[in-house]
Amino acid sequence: MISRYRFGRPYETNAVPAKPVAERGLPRYFSVHMPGEELEHVADRSTEVTNPGGVEGNPLDSGDPAKRLFFTYAMGADDIVYGLGEQTHGMNKRNFTYVSSCRDFGRHTEDCHNLYSAHNFFIVYGDRTFGAFFDTAGTISFDIGETDIDQIRVTLEFPDCDLYIIDGQGPQDIVRQFRTLIGRSYIPPKWALGYHQSRWFYKTERDFRDVAERYRQAHIPLDALYMDIDYMERYKSFTVDENRFPHFNELVAELGDRGVHLVPIIDAGIKVEAGYDVYEQGVAENRFCKDAAGNDFVLGVWPGHCHLVDVMVPDNRRWFGEQYRKLLDRGIDGFWNDMNEPSIFYTEERLAQAYAKVDGLRATALDVDTFFDMCDTFAHLSNNPDDYKLFYHTIEGERVRHDRVHNLYGSSLAQAAGESFSSLSPDKRIMLFSRSTMIGAHRVSGIWTGDNMAWWSHLRLSVCQMPNIQMCGFLFCGSDIGGFGSDTNEELMTRWMQFAVFTPLMRNHSQSKRAQELYTFKRIDTLRHIVELRYALIPYLYSELVKASLQGTLYFKPLSFDYPDDRRARRVEDQLLVGESLMIAPVVEENARGRMVYLPEPMRMIRYRALDDYDAIDLAAGDHYVEVGLDEMLLFIRPNRMVPLAAPAQTTAEMDFDRLRVLAFLDGTRDAISYTLYDDDGYTTDIDEPEHFHTVTVSTEAGVSCDTKRVELA
Ligand code: MIG
């Protein structure tokens, strides 16, 4: 059961396509704390709430708490809280405060309160179990037992939101209801499940040919190469530098013929430059955000001065989406949207303040205060939340300051792209994922977790992020494998790859000095075998991904979701369920050559080295120490479940998905088991057709069979 409660007058976020009628009265579970004269205040949008924010710390720490609307809930001592999407910390979100205030912030550590996205849904799982979704475009913070170990405190910067409370039969049912409420998750084309290589480094046609060629020579499968900002003409979105890419169309076609997709980045800021058509049209047609004086707002990003399209105007979204045609027409069929928080390097206002401060200090002998103050002035130039108060949108004719709807920016750009694809490419799925999102964008886009680091802690973080991101609707997700920042090393890369075999988006991306294309490492065979396993698993991973979207279920689940009565399983944060048949236990510890694994029930462990080289060992329920060499990885098949496998090839396009092998684990309690396999051509949009569902049956007597596919037992 889902109930909606309205507070104030929230701006439309498009998170919930068909809203249930709002309830009267107060929500279940939460105590609502309204500020004095709350109701008048709630309706008054002109109230200015200060948010000094700064670059570090919780943006809601200061300001005027008396004006805030907040909600409290008393947790049971052992309640678990899941959700909140890509935020840091564990799978269980207790003991920290998470803030939805989309921010470009790499190098994040445990004290980071806000990352790129705003995923305002969580589940309390324990004494009482329920889901809560705070649908608001403004800043909101979730103190999950940080201030008071037993209390959840949700605080809104602006007192406008729709609160949805969801009751159900446990967390799976709550997720399913929530996902039904917010609508079907984006389904990428099948090639998007291949292995992808990226690096903020490739600058010319030759670079791309070279990387593709070296993957071929190393016999490592590859489905996509990414074009970072250097493909553009001076960082102008939707342009291609024709000097460095004189034969761009031919390059796209040539790699495309080999099954390798080129995926360009799209940046949010539009360069101010006479002659640049997107800029000129945007100005002429009045499509950009305005500053306080009513001029097109100027911010500094990659290309220098830029404007931002006012995404709150539907026709501007249509116009921005239409720009993708320029690249679609050249054969491109996948994009990644970046810098869409929106990320701001500087504004002229803040730069002028900083220069003035430096000029004022020039003649002074700096002491501890003045010196660090001067440093901070420059350190806080980028992505300063105060800059979000300098520009305005138009929403249904009303002028609205950006910070009121800040978290919607990246989502609205993704929506612009997604909607344009449905008209520009109605029959063919286009791959899209975005750095900044709010719930709602999950219907058109996937997500990557932004600039992580080549740290073991960020590998562990990724394991915790994946199920929480998916609960919020974003099924197509992944992190930069190996780490985006800082130099990776072969062991970290290998362990990260072993985990990423299971993430729907499997992309190696970095900005590091050290190259991290797989063929640059010493033990190429190990890395090749990992990628081959990924390709072999695509029938299963794709089937589970599409079914999760169609049925509102999860592809990645914490163990507690399927073993609710097992108190040990509830506390496990370094193992995950992947689809209905598999459990994984990735090695996320440096120099480990084994790990403890907890099995809630007996499982068949596959200790994989290569497709034709693995141990299959049946293990009893309970704790096991399992050896896992660096060239080995573990998968666990659940009792009476199966996993279909295909023969890998150099690209997904070359694979035969009609000929499968099946890994099954019959534990002797059943004569026959079956699996619903989803499979289609992988790119057309007729996803629901019943003919895409196949039943695979394995029985002790008759072996394995499938209605339409050729199957054999592995
Ligand atoms: O400020 O385009 O997260 O993946 O390589 C950095 C350059 C801008 C941030 C993205 C990253 C990308 C990088 N971008």
Side-chain angles (χ1 to χ4, degrees):
M1 184 182 70
I2 304 185
S3 315
R4 175 166 75 100
Y5 302 89
R6 170 152 285 204
F7 297 87
R9 286 196 303 140
Y11 293 107
E12 179 58 59
T13 65
N14 290 315
V16 177
K19 295 185 200 20
V21 177
E23 311 275 331
R24 309 174 76 207
L26 294 170
R28 301 190 287 286
Y29 305 115
F30 289 99
S31 302
V32 183
H33 307 261
M34 307 224 200
E37 302 185 37
E38 58 276 359
L39 294 176
E40 261 161 59
H41 173 73
V42 162
D44 175 12
R45 278 193 184 146
S46 63
T47 313
E48 301 285 297
V49 180
T50 46
N51 172 23
V55 172
E56 290 308 321
N58 175 348
L60 279 181
D61 272 350
S62 35
D64 188 353
K67 288 181 175 169
R68 303 251 164 83
L69 169 68
F70 67 97
F71 301 78
T72 54
Y73 175 73
M75 292 184 279
D78 292 330
D79 285 3
I80 290 173
V81 178
Y82 290 120
L84 299 178
E86 79 176 358
Q87 292 283 9
T88 57
H89 283 251
M91 215 176 286
N92 180 350
K93 306 316 287 183
R94 281 185 81 143
N95 303 310
F96 196 61
T97 303
Y98 309 91
V99 183
S100 289
S101 176
C102 299
R103 171 168 72 140
D104 173 2
F105 188 49
R107 287 197 84 88
H108 38 275
T109 49
E110 261 178 67
D111 57 359
C112 168
H113 297 276
N114 52 322
L115 278 173
Y116 308 91
S117 286
H119 300 147
N120 303 339
F121 170 66
F122 63 84
I123 298 171
V124 176
Y125 183 20
D127 288 354
R128 294 184 289 181
T129 296
F130 63 91
F133 172 44
F134 291 81
D135 189 9
T136 173
T139 298
I140 178 169
S141 91
F142 303 89
D143 176 345
I144 315 286
E146 183 182 43
T147 308
D148 170 343
I149 190 170
D150 294 316
Q151 193 187 63
I152 294 179
R153 176 188 282 242
V154 180
T155 309
L156 285 116
E157 181 169 21
F158 304 109
D160 308 292
C161 83
D162 273 326
L163 167 58
Y164 294 84
I165 301 286
I166 306 170
D167 286 308
Q169 305 296 313
Q172 311 234 39
D173 182 39
I174 288 167
V175 166
R176 192 190 46 73
Q177 290 186 57
F178 175 59
R179 301 263 303 285
T180 308
L181 178 77
I182 60 175
R184 181 188 283 188
S185 300
Y186 168 72
I187 297 174
K190 199 190 268 182
W191 65 263
L193 271 75
Y195 172 73
H196 300 183
Q197 179 64 53
S198 180
R199 188 169 171 216
W200 181 9
F201 184 78
Y202 311 143
K203 289 189 169 60
T204 60
E205 290 181 4
R206 184 201 276 179
D207 290 339
F208 288 93
R209 283 206 178 86
D210 188 48
V211 179
E213 189 49 40
R214 293 186 68 181
Y215 267 95
R216 268 282 148 127
Q217 280 165 10
H219 295 290
I220 300 175
L222 177 75
D223 263 74
L225 289 176
Y226 283 69
M227 313 189 86
D228 208 320
I229 49 178
D230 297 306
Y231 81 90
M232 291 183 258
E233 189 197 315
R234 277 169 297 128
Y235 309 132
K236 290 182 288 187
S237 288
F238 309 107
T239 66
V240 172
D241 186 324
E242 305 289 340
N243 289 321
R244 276 178 282 127
F245 294 87
H247 312 287
F248 182 82
N249 298 7
E250 289 76 3
L251 179 72
V252 176
E254 176 193 315
L255 290 175
D257 286 344
R258 294 166 58 170
V260 176
H261 300 252
L262 274 181
V263 183
I265 196 170
I266 300 294
D267 276 9
I270 297 299
K271 182 173 173 36
V272 172
E273 184 184 280
Y276 171 32
D277 61 342
V278 185
Y279 160 76
E280 288 194 336
Q281 252 185 46
V283 170
E285 296 170 12
N286 195 26
R287 299 195 184 271
F288 294 124
C289 291
K290 302 288 183 236
D291 63 18
N295 302 314
D296 289 336
F297 173 67
V298 176
L299 69 159
V301 215
W302 288 117
H305 283 182
C306 287
H307 292 326
L308 291 169
V309 59
D310 182 357
V311 291
M312 302 306 292
V313 177
D315 194 58
N316 292 350
R317 286 200 297 272
R318 184 201 53 72
W319 172 77
F320 195 84
E322 179 69 25
Q323 306 303 322
Y324 283 82
R325 181 198 291 271
K326 294 174 178 148
L327 290 156
L328 291 172
D329 281 352
R330 304 181 77 166
I332 295 296
D333 55 7
F335 299 91
W336 49 313
N337 280 1
D338 191 23
M339 305 296 273
N340 50 1
E341 291 68 29
S343 184
I344 298 181
F345 289 175
Y346 65 86
T347 54
E348 289 299 329
E349 285 80 346
R350 215 151 309 288
L351 209 52
Q353 284 168 12
Y355 287 141
K357 175 161 275 171
V358 174
D359 285 341
L361 290 172
R362 212 183 277 277
T364 325
L366 299 178
D367 65 8
V368 58
D369 296 328
T370 44
F371 173 71
F372 286 107
D373 188 30
M374 181 186 78
C375 295
D376 282 355
T377 305
F378 283 90
H380 292 182
L381 272 180
S382 290
N383 298 310
N384 189 314
D386 284 340
D387 285 339
Y388 296 135
K389 298 176 189 166
L390 297 178
F391 59 103
Y392 295 83
H393 299 274
T394 301
I395 302 179
E396 288 166 6
E398 187 189 349
R399 193 175 88 141
V400 177
R401 205 174 68 183
H402 174 76
D403 56 335
R404 292 282 170 134
V405 291
H406 170 65
N407 291 337
L408 260 177
Y409 201 81
S411 275
S412 304
L413 286 182
Q415 196 191 332
E419 280 166 8
S420 81
F421 299 157
S422 50
S423 59
L424 297 176
S425 178
D427 302 321
K428 181 174 148 195
R429 279 175 255 167
I430 303 295
M431 184 185 74
L432 176 68
F433 57 91
S434 169
R435 191 169 71 176
S436 182
T437 56
M438 250 186 58
I439 291 168
H442 70 284
R443 294 191 298 270
V444 294
S445 172
I447 178 177
W448 97 101
T449 57
D451 297 349
N452 58 8
M453 301 293 291
W455 296 338
W456 290 86
S457 60
H458 275 183
L459 167 56
R460 279 192 290 276
L461 175 63
S462 181
V463 175
C464 293
Q465 285 173 317
M466 293 299 129
N468 285 329
I469 287 173
Q470 292 198 332
M471 285 176 213
C472 294
F474 295 89
L475 291 180
F476 183 55
C477 54
S479 301
D480 289 350
I481 301 169
F484 172 77
S486 178
D487 282 342
T488 200
N489 57 70
E490 186 158 342
E491 175 150 341
L492 178 58
M493 181 49 103
T494 305
R495 292 304 193 196
W496 207 315
M497 283 290 293
Q498 290 167 348
F499 168 61
V501 160
F502 302 97
T503 59
L505 171 64
M506 187 188 196
R507 183 178 75 142
N508 174 347
H509 177 50
S510 77
Q511 66 155 179
S512 53
K513 273 206 268 29
R514 177 175 186 165
Q516 61 186 50
E517 291 79 15
L518 297 181
Y519 51 74
T520 63
F521 295 100
K522 188 165 176 204
R523 299 186 192 152
I524 296 186
D525 289 348
T526 300
L527 294 163
R528 180 192 311 111
H529 292 150
I530 296 169
V531 182
E532 284 172 352
L533 176 63
R534 162 64 171 223
Y535 277 69
L537 281 166
I538 286 177
Y540 175 72
L541 301 177
Y542 182 69
S543 170
E544 292 301 306
L545 188 74
V546 176
K547 287 189 297 180
S549 172
L550 301 184
Q551 296 161 7
T553 52
L554 289 178
Y555 164 110
F556 278 130
K557 272 175 290 191
L559 268 49
S560 64
F561 273 46
D562 278 5
Y563 305 98
D565 302 324
D566 182 333
R567 301 197 71 76
R568 275 291 306 286
R570 281 178 170 224
R571 298 286 153 189
V572 173
E573 300 219 344
D574 59 353
Q575 300 173 205
L576 286 172
L577 299 168
V578 182
E580 64 175 58
S581 308
L582 283 179
M583 184 185 79
I584 59 170
V587 173
V588 293
E589 193 190 326
E590 188 165 20
N591 292 318
R593 291 296 180 269
R595 55 160 292 166
M596 292 299 301
V597 179
Y598 176 71
L599 301 189
E601 59 182 331
M603 293 189 190
R604 174 164 296 169
M605 181 179 83
I606 308 288
R607 193 196 280 116
Y608 172 90
R609 287 173 292 277
L611 280 170
D612 53 4
D613 180 14
Y614 58 86
D615 315 318
I617 304 168
D618 291 352
L619 294 176
D623 290 297
H624 299 270
Y625 180 80
V626 182
E627 304 220 339
V628 198
L630 189 54
D631 61 341
E632 295 178 322
M633 58 181 288
L634 305 175
L635 24 164
F636 297 84
I637 308 176
R638 299 170 64 179
N640 299 318
R641 306 285 170 101
M642 70 177 89
V643 181
L645 303 169
Q650 292 305 295
T651 63
T652 52
E654 293 162 55
M655 286 172 66
D656 181 355
F657 290 98
D658 291 325
R659 240 188 126 142
L660 303 172
R661 292 192 308 147
V662 174
L663 265 177
F665 174 33
L666 281 128
D667 68 358
T669 61
R670 305 248 293 267
D671 292 336
I673 58 173
S674 65
Y675 173 77
T676 302
L677 174 73
Y678 180 92
D679 189 36
D680 60 6
D681 61 15
Y683 65 92
T684 50
T685 48
D686 59 346
I687 290 164
D688 298 84
E689 293 300 317
E691 75 217 36
H692 300 148
F693 295 84
H694 311 271
T695 303
V696 185
T697 307
V698 175
S699 76
T700 37
E701 281 185 3
V704 60
S705 63
C706 177
D707 45 6
T708 52
K709 309 225 175 236
R710 290 174 54 190
V711 286
E712 62 186 75
L713 282 176

